[in-house]
Amino acid sequence: MGVPDAADLLEDLDDDHAADMAGALPIGRLADVLDEMEPDEAADVLGDLPPDQAAQALAQMEDADEVRPLLGHPDETAGGLMTTAYFALRRHTTAAQAIDFLRQLDPDARTPYYLYVVDREKRLIGVVGLRNLVVADPQATVETFMDTDVIRVTAGTDQEEVARIMSRYDVAALPVVDEQGRLQGVITQDDVLDVLEEETTEDVLRLGGIEPGPVSNKPYWSQRIFEVARSRFVWLLGLFVAETLTGTVLRHFSSELEAVVSLSFFIPLLIGTGGNAGSQTVTTIIRALALDEVHRKDVLKVLVRELATGIVLGSLLGVVAFGRVLLWGLPTSMAFVVAVTILAICIWANTVGCLVPILADAVGIDPTVMSAPLITTLVDATGLLIYLRVAAWVLTEI
Amino acid sequence: MGVPDAADLLEDLDDDHAADMAGALPIGRLADVLDEMEPDEAADVLGDLPPDQAAQALAQMEDADEVRPLLGHPDETAGGLMTTAYFALRRHTTAAQAIDFLRQLDPDARTPYYLYVVDREKRLIGVVGLRNLVVADPQATVETFMDTDVIRVTAGTDQEEVARIMSRYDVAALPVVDEQGRLQGVITQDDVLDVLEEETTEDVLRLGGIEPGPVSNKPYWSQRIFEVARSRFVWLLGLFVAETLTGTVLRHFSSELEAVVSLSFFIPLLIGTGGNAGSQTVTTIIRALALDEVHRKDVLKVLVRELATGIVLGSLLGVVAFGRVLLWGLPTSMAFVVAVTILAICIWANTVGCLVPILADAVGIDPTVMSAPLITTLVDATGLLIYLRVAAWVLTEI
């Protein structure tokens, strides 16, 4: 494989495989391949190599100066996404000079859509779209046709925030500056598409009760079965231990369960419904938090809405449950217990389902960790407590 | 509000609010505002208006010819995403002529990054990046420096596929052609960011047991409580009805539950664990299907993997459960029943969790509909059947 092909392949592979392949190349050849890659992609590969190997490769690279500033930024920040392959002009450059500058670039390099204008201290002061450059009078200086209202982020900005800004402002590239406003690099939209895919995978897995990590982020077929089992086991075990609370509650009410054995018939139905209602609420709230529609200051307003929804849903399902219990030929008192419990559990599940993610967000925990399985487990034991308390209060046999 | 401000506002509003606002404008003014908008956005607004109002506005628009070809494509296809505001050149056009052409365009229009080259029949034959145009010899014809290897889609391509192609090939714009290869329009990357956000919301909600629809797609605060309750009720009721199966199973075993009341202590724990294991599997498979990593032909390979994972996880949790039951002071036979059931339920939950989404995909149902709550409900009744069968077989008291 030639150097350009190897560079293309490294850019397309996922991080683990890229590091494996890069690690297997002789240092001199690795340096050539990295020189051929986009600086941000080369920095990612270097970041995944053992430090001494990375240092040796960097020492032999021609474009080391482009790659070095990109190392050391956390992967999930604007600094970790940006590339140094941007084009900075001074304000007195003419359109013709800028075009000459473009002409000297490697024709295979990724096309830049914007040229950035910086002052003497490298502070970002304007942006010029390629089309504006094309149609400008060749002798005009860029300051006469640049746009001074440049949307920018700092290097520490989280990648989700970067994606949100690029989506909201419909910009194809986003400049990254340091605290002093000096241009550090540029993030292009294709990097953001990758971020969105990665973030979606993480969110979806968390909602399903899998903690995202080095294993779950790999493509399905490259995950080893024992690694998969290990990554899932932690959550399963945690939920299992939490769920043993339900056994404690039921043991506490064993005399009631012995007196009226039909009480146990409704256990899965009641906690299942509570889990489903809680799962709907927590999913809605997590998504609203992710889309920046709900904030922690809205907690009371959200609670009121979700309580109201819980009352409506619980009442409707309570009526259905009442009829279903009677159809099984059980006494009206039992039907009443089940119906009242459904109402109470729906209200309780919606309360837990909206408060937990908002509170998690408020104390700095990613709300997607508060997954549907977790809420379900939390609601199960308390739901049983409600059920058996209501039963002990209504049923005369107990 | 002036016409340009109204146009900006309409482009930024979500579909429902945009239609409300557009519907309230007098026809003449609406036509002016639509003329000011990007053609694809104007077409979206027209598609959401009552047909006679849309026809009247279209009749008064100056740019009706740009918007008309965009109407009638389903919203979720390449045709529904594309804009007609693209730039097509003929192969003998010179670079200087192309630049002159760009100069005549409205300077406020969105910057095009690529110019497309078409033949006499409007068939797409090449693409020219703006940078190539800038640096080309002014007298060179575009065919001498165009790229003839153009990635393209047809108008009927699903928007998720469009997003995937743009992400994979890192292109900032994707041309849309008809069956004969004639250029119909162009999709830009900012449209795809919106698609990804919308699709993520739909997937996440489905995983939480909420059917996406006109209500759930609205921002959180503009959903009315009764609409929310209605949209959630359908799923809750369906799951409730399915979950009543658990009652049927338990009634069937009522003599066993009467003989050994401690059997009921483990009902929530066992079905909860089955639900969690199934939820992990279904989430993994749905994501792998969405990322195109797993296909229906892989169904046996997937089943083998997930069965193996289920056996590993079930064995580990079975050991934990065995110890926990003994710690509660219950007999070894009971601990054995619970441990064996956990193993069987984990295997069964993983089987259901991987087969259901793949089979759904194979028969053309969106696998995200096979949400974690649905799998949980499916596994609950069968899990109880396994539990009580094992108990009847092992426990001598029954």
Side-chain angles (χ1 to χ4, degrees):
Chain A
M1 193 172 356
V3 166
D5 287 339
D8 280 349
L9 183 59
L10 271 187
E11 292 192 357
D12 285 343
L13 287 174
D14 63 87
D15 288 356
D16 278 344
H17 285 104
D20 283 352
M21 175 177 152
L25 292 173
I27 295 291
R29 193 168 162 75
L30 174 59
D32 291 345
V33 172
L34 291 172
D35 273 331
E36 186 76 21
M37 292 171 69
E38 298 289 325
D40 54 333
E41 310 266 4
D44 285 348
V45 171
L46 285 169
D48 289 332
L49 287 178
D52 56 330
Q53 203 174 2
Q56 288 175 35
L58 200 57
Q60 296 196 26
M61 281 178 67
E62 275 176 39
D63 297 342
D65 288 347
E66 285 185 6
V67 173
R68 218 178 303 262
L70 299 175
L71 298 168
H73 290 283
D75 263 5
E76 312 222 322
T77 64
L81 284 177
M82 71 186 183
T83 177
T84 44
Y86 60 84
F87 302 88
L89 307 169
R90 296 297 302 280
R91 66 169 81 219
H92 298 303
T93 310
T94 63
Q97 287 170 328
I99 290 176
D100 269 346
F101 177 59
L102 283 176
R103 224 183 286 269
Q104 290 157 19
L105 295 173
D106 172 7
D108 287 335
R110 210 169 288 183
T111 311
Y113 307 122
Y114 300 111
L115 306 177
Y116 296 95
V117 186
V118 295
D119 69 9
R120 186 183 313 229
E121 267 85 45
K122 258 196 86 182
R123 281 189 301 245
L124 180 61
I125 54 171
V127 61
V128 173
L130 265 191
R131 190 181 52 144
N132 297 340
L133 187 64
V134 177
V135 302
D137 170 1
Q139 294 320 313
T141 57
V142 293
E143 69 177 331
T144 61
F145 58 91
M146 72 184 184
D147 183 354
T148 55
D149 182 20
V150 195
I151 294 154
R152 64 190 79 193
V153 293
T154 55
T157 308
D158 184 79
Q159 62 177 4
E160 280 196 80
E161 180 65 17
V162 168
R164 207 174 293 143
I165 289 172
M166 293 188 78
S167 170
R168 182 169 316 151
Y169 295 104
D170 284 353
V171 287
L174 188 64
V176 181
V177 296
D178 67 10
E179 300 299 328
Q180 283 74 45
R182 288 180 302 217
L183 187 59
Q184 303 290 300
V186 172
I187 301 171
T188 53
Q189 226 168 29
D190 54 277
D191 298 318
V192 170
L193 287 178
D194 296 341
V195 167
L196 285 178
E197 188 160 280
E198 199 182 303
E199 296 278 343
T200 303
T201 298
E202 289 194 8
D203 288 358
V204 165
L205 291 180
R206 283 222 186 88
L207 289 171
I210 296 176
E211 182 52 28
V215 179
S216 64
N217 284 342
K218 282 193 206 172
Y220 183 74
W221 296 108
S222 29
Q223 301 175 8
R224 295 217 203 107
I225 287 174
F226 277 90
E227 290 175 337
V228 171
R230 198 174 48 195
S231 76
R232 293 194 198 171
F233 184 65
V234 181
W235 260 110
L236 269 191
L237 183 67
L239 292 172
F240 180 87
V241 169
E243 188 83 39
T244 56
L245 258 181
T246 58
T248 310
V249 171
L250 290 170
R251 271 161 61 87
H252 183 75
F253 287 92
S254 54
S255 61
E256 285 83 352
L257 287 166
E258 211 148 351
V260 188
V261 76
S262 55
L263 274 176
S264 67
F265 301 166
F266 303 101
I267 290 175
L269 184 60
L270 291 172
I271 64 179
T273 302
N276 293 335
S279 162
Q280 290 184 332
T281 304
V282 76
T283 307
T284 305
I285 301 298
I286 286 175
R287 191 63 194 155
L289 285 166
L291 293 178
D292 235 6
E293 294 173 355
V294 162
H295 306 93
R296 73 189 75 164
K297 66 174 170 49
D298 305 321
V299 62
L300 273 181
K301 271 162 67 190
V302 171
L303 183 59
V304 169
R305 277 181 70 93
E306 295 303 327
L307 280 180
T309 311
I311 291 170
V312 174
L313 290 172
S315 307
L316 292 170
L317 282 178
V319 171
V320 176
F322 191 86
R324 187 72 191 87
V325 177
L326 291 184
L327 275 179
W328 263 332
L330 292 164
T332 316
S333 57
M334 185 55 125
F336 181 72
V337 169
V338 173
V340 169
T341 306
I342 285 262
L343 173 59
I345 282 185
C346 283
I347 295 174
W348 172 239
N350 276 21
T351 307
V352 175
C354 74
L355 290 186
V356 169
I358 296 181
L359 296 182
D361 191 50
V363 298
I365 300 173
D366 184 338
T368 50
V369 176
M370 304 297 125
S371 62
L374 185 66
I375 299 294
T376 304
T377 303
L378 286 177
V379 170
D380 278 1
T382 43
L384 286 174
L385 207 58
I386 294 171
Y387 176 42
L388 293 160
R389 277 260 158 266
V390 173
W393 167 58
V394 172
L395 299 180
T396 47
E397 300 92 318
I398 296 176
Chain B
M1 192 172 359
V3 166
D5 288 338
D8 281 351
L9 183 60
L10 271 187
E11 291 190 358
D12 285 344
L13 286 174
D14 65 86
D15 289 356
D16 279 343
H17 284 104
D20 283 350
M21 175 178 152
L25 292 173
I27 295 292
R29 193 168 163 78
L30 174 59
D32 290 344
V33 172
L34 292 171
D35 273 330
E36 186 78 20
M37 292 171 69
E38 298 290 323
D40 54 333
E41 310 265 6
D44 285 349
V45 171
L46 284 169
D48 289 333
L49 285 179
D52 55 330
Q53 204 175 2
Q56 287 174 34
L58 200 58
Q60 296 195 26
M61 282 178 67
E62 274 176 40
D63 296 343
D65 288 348
E66 284 185 8
V67 173
R68 217 180 303 263
L70 299 174
L71 297 169
H73 290 284
D75 263 6
E76 310 221 322
T77 65
L81 283 178
M82 71 186 182
T83 177
T84 45
Y86 58 83
F87 303 88
L89 307 169
R90 297 298 302 281
R91 66 169 81 219
H92 297 304
T93 309
T94 63
Q97 287 170 327
I99 290 175
D100 269 346
F101 178 60
L102 283 176
R103 221 184 287 270
Q104 290 157 21
L105 294 173
D106 171 8
D108 286 336
R110 210 170 286 183
T111 311
Y113 307 122
Y114 299 113
L115 306 177
Y116 296 96
V117 186
V118 296
D119 70 8
R120 187 181 313 227
E121 266 85 45
K122 260 196 82 182
R123 282 186 301 242
L124 181 61
I125 54 173
V127 62
V128 173
L130 266 189
R131 188 179 56 144
N132 296 342
L133 187 64
V134 178
V135 302
D137 170 1
Q139 293 320 310
T141 57
V142 294
E143 70 178 332
T144 59
F145 59 91
M146 73 185 183
D147 184 354
T148 55
D149 183 21
V150 194
I151 294 154
R152 64 189 79 193
V153 293
T154 55
T157 309
D158 184 79
Q159 61 176 5
E160 281 196 79
E161 180 65 18
V162 168
R164 207 174 291 142
I165 290 171
M166 293 188 78
S167 169
R168 183 170 313 151
Y169 296 103
D170 283 354
V171 287
L174 189 64
V176 181
V177 296
D178 66 11
E179 299 300 329
Q180 282 74 45
R182 288 179 302 217
L183 187 59
Q184 302 290 301
V186 172
I187 300 171
T188 52
Q189 226 167 29
D190 54 277
D191 298 318
V192 170
L193 288 177
D194 296 340
V195 167
L196 285 178
E197 188 160 279
E198 195 182 306
E199 296 278 343
T200 302
T201 298
E202 289 195 8
D203 288 0
V204 165
L205 290 180
R206 282 221 186 87
L207 290 171
I210 295 178
E211 182 53 28
V215 179
S216 64
N217 284 342
K218 283 192 206 171
Y220 183 74
W221 296 109
S222 29
Q223 301 174 8
R224 296 217 202 105
I225 288 175
F226 277 89
E227 291 175 336
V228 171
R230 199 172 50 193
S231 75
R232 292 193 199 171
F233 184 65
V234 180
W235 259 109
L236 269 190
L237 183 66
L239 294 171
F240 180 87
V241 170
E243 188 85 39
T244 57
L245 257 181
T246 57
T248 310
V249 171
L250 290 170
R251 271 161 62 85
H252 183 76
F253 288 93
S254 53
S255 62
E256 285 82 351
L257 287 166
E258 211 147 353
V260 188
V261 75
S262 55
L263 274 176
S264 67
F265 301 166
F266 303 101
I267 290 176
L269 184 60
L270 291 172
I271 63 177
T273 301
N276 292 335
S279 163
Q280 290 183 333
T281 306
V282 76
T283 307
T284 305
I285 302 298
I286 286 176
R287 192 62 195 155
L289 284 167
L291 293 177
D292 234 6
E293 293 172 357
V294 161
H295 305 92
R296 73 188 75 163
K297 66 174 170 46
D298 305 321
V299 62
L300 274 180
K301 270 163 66 191
V302 171
L303 184 59
V304 169
R305 277 182 72 91
E306 295 303 327
L307 280 179
T309 311
I311 291 170
V312 174
L313 289 173
S315 308
L316 292 170
L317 282 179
V319 171
V320 176
F322 191 86
R324 188 70 190 85
V325 176
L326 291 183
L327 275 179
W328 263 332
L330 291 165
T332 315
S333 58
M334 186 54 125
F336 182 71
V337 169
V338 172
V340 169
T341 305
I342 285 263
L343 172 58
I345 281 185
C346 283
I347 296 174
W348 173 239
N350 275 21
T351 308
V352 175
C354 73
L355 290 186
V356 168
I358 296 181
L359 296 182
D361 190 49
V363 299
I365 299 173
D366 184 337
T368 49
V369 176
M370 303 299 125
S371 60
L374 185 66
I375 299 295
T376 304
T377 303
L378 287 176
V379 170
D380 277 0
T382 43
L384 286 175
L385 206 58
I386 294 171
Y387 176 42
L388 294 162
R389 277 258 158 266
V390 172
W393 167 61
V394 172
L395 299 181
T396 48
E397 300 92 318
I398 295 177

